[in-house]
Amino acid sequence: MATVVHAADVAYAESDYLELTVNGARRQWLDIVARRPLPPGARQVAFVPVETLLCLAGMYVVDHSRFGSGSANRAPEPVQQLARLFRRPPTSILAKMANLDGTRSHGAKNDLVAGARLRSDPSRMAHAYRTVLAAARSAGVGPDVLPDFLGVEHGGAIELLGQDELGGSAVESALESELQAWLRKSDLPEVTTERLMWASVRVGQHRFATSVLANCGRECVFCGFTLTDSGPSLLRASHIKPWRNSDHRERLDIANGLAACPTHDSAFDVGLITVDEDLAVRRSRRLENAMVHNQAVRRAFEPGMLRASIAAPRRAVAPGRPFIDWHREHVFTP
């Protein structure tokens, strides 16, 4: 059985995360698999780098802020898988994610710095993730216990969805204001704090877009366009009330999102179409006039191509009434 080391006894350097080798990670995995569950209330051993890196990877999938101590057991995978594998309660996995996000002040500084660097460089993050998984496999931790939840174990890049919404001067202005708030509560260098904030925004947007696509059945809610293979879908998952106008909660709420093909997404974004309270699709007068005079426009927006009402799977979260009301009042041009 591995020696129990308390969290306060260990401090890892940035290089322990950024320069981790398969052999070094394998030694950590051998200690992890030798652990025994601790009795309730016992102090846990320190997180070793491979655990921290997998918690960091899990943040691409799970919004840890949605779960507290009373709901941690309901957090989705990979939280429960990591908790079982590390012999820790799910609350510890979620707390480590919060530390790495920079939203709590309890995280080790080098964890934060390394995490900020990795999340700002998707190719480097993918390499670290593959290193951890390769070491796990060599230590006997198979995919049944630790699945490849990012889908890049055997190559490929970590693709962040929905990033096109984060451009423009209005977004930059909002993020500059938010950066100042982060700096006031952080004792980290400004460059690290800025990386943390941008990583949080980008990964949060990725989780939002992923959830919206799944909620909408991976098809355009306006016309039904979809591609069923595993390649790029062309679909966009965008906010109903734009990111720049939303608060933090609204930016992550899937009820504030719709999946659409590029044509209908763009038309919705510029106010050529909107959605009424009963989810009926409404065209603007400008669009209807263009349909009369332009055959290509008519083909894209005529009945039969553009649905009378948006559609989604039966158990999908419906668009939130405050969001569609906001779009109709502030974006749509009747």
Side-chain angles (χ1 to χ4, degrees):
M1 178 175 173
T3 302
V4 175
V5 181
H6 295 297
D9 299 327
V10 177
Y12 292 103
E14 284 182 63
S15 58
D16 292 321
Y17 304 96
L18 302 178
E19 300 172 16
L20 184 66
T21 65
V22 172
N23 285 338
R26 185 176 186 274
R27 288 192 292 270
Q28 295 174 32
W29 275 117
L30 292 174
D31 284 341
I32 290 171
V33 298
R35 287 178 187 166
R36 297 294 180 267
L38 293 174
R43 194 177 184 187
Q44 297 178 45
V45 297
F47 275 75
V48 296
V50 297
E51 294 177 282
T52 299
L53 289 168
L54 283 178
C55 288
L56 189 69
M59 292 164 65
Y60 287 78
V61 181
V62 177
D63 179 5
H64 60 81
S65 67
R66 294 178 53 214
F67 303 96
S69 57
S71 58
N73 288 329
R74 299 196 299 273
E77 302 298 3
V79 171
Q80 309 303 330
Q81 291 161 334
L82 295 181
R84 290 191 295 271
L85 182 57
F86 300 160
R87 310 292 196 272
R88 301 182 187 275
T91 49
S92 293
I93 307 302
L94 295 168
K96 173 57 78 172
M97 290 178 173
N99 293 344
L100 290 166
D101 202 21
T103 54
R104 294 188 181 182
S105 59
H106 313 302
K109 188 168 295 187
N110 288 333
D111 285 13
L112 288 167
V113 172
R117 288 192 176 185
L118 288 169
R119 289 201 293 164
S120 63
D121 186 345
S123 62
R124 195 171 189 178
M125 180 70 214
H127 174 74
Y129 175 77
R130 282 192 282 269
T131 297
V132 171
L133 262 60
R137 305 305 183 226
S138 71
V141 180
D144 56 326
V145 178
L146 177 60
D148 173 19
F149 54 85
L150 291 187
V152 296
E153 179 175 2
H154 302 295
I158 297 174
E159 300 288 346
L160 295 183
L161 303 180
Q163 304 302 295
D164 52 316
E165 267 201 289
L166 300 180
S169 58
V171 170
E172 290 177 2
S173 177
L175 288 175
E176 178 60 30
S177 175
E178 293 185 19
L179 174 59
Q180 298 309 312
W182 277 62
L183 288 171
R184 286 193 293 271
K185 67 180 182 180
S186 174
D187 60 353
L188 295 170
E190 181 172 348
V191 64
T192 300
T193 302
E194 185 172 6
R195 279 179 178 153
L196 279 169
M197 186 201 72
W198 269 104
S200 178
V201 168
R202 288 178 177 132
V203 173
Q205 179 72 354
H206 168 73
R207 288 195 305 260
F208 167 83
T210 301
S211 298
V212 169
L213 288 173
N215 187 58
C216 295
R218 300 191 179 280
E219 70 173 39
C220 175
V221 298
F222 294 105
C223 71
F225 174 89
T226 187
L227 290 172
T228 57
D229 59 23
S230 59
S233 71
L234 299 182
L235 290 176
R236 298 174 180 171
S238 300
H239 287 84
I240 301 169
K241 180 180 179 182
W243 189 97
R244 63 183 178 274
N245 301 111
S246 299
D247 61 27
H248 179 71
R249 180 192 61 79
E250 293 171 332
R251 291 170 183 170
L252 301 177
D253 189 347
I254 63 171
N256 188 20
L258 293 175
C261 66
T263 297
H264 294 133
D265 177 74
S266 296
F268 186 78
D269 281 350
V270 299
L272 292 175
I273 57 177
T274 194
V275 178
D276 284 334
E277 296 91 337
D278 59 357
L279 303 186
V281 178
R282 193 200 306 181
R283 301 173 185 82
S284 70
R285 284 193 296 270
R286 179 187 172 203
L287 179 59
E288 289 178 340
N289 290 336
M291 290 171 63
V292 173
H293 298 99
N294 188 294
Q295 185 179 11
V297 177
R298 185 164 58 252
R299 281 200 301 264
F301 293 95
E302 65 186 355
M305 178 58 71
L306 185 68
R307 290 167 167 165
S309 300
I310 63 171
R314 180 174 299 178
R315 295 186 180 180
V317 175
R321 174 69 180 273
F323 303 127
I324 58 176
D325 286 350
W326 196 97
H327 183 273
R328 198 167 54 253
E329 293 170 10
H330 296 277
V331 180
F332 182 61
T333 54

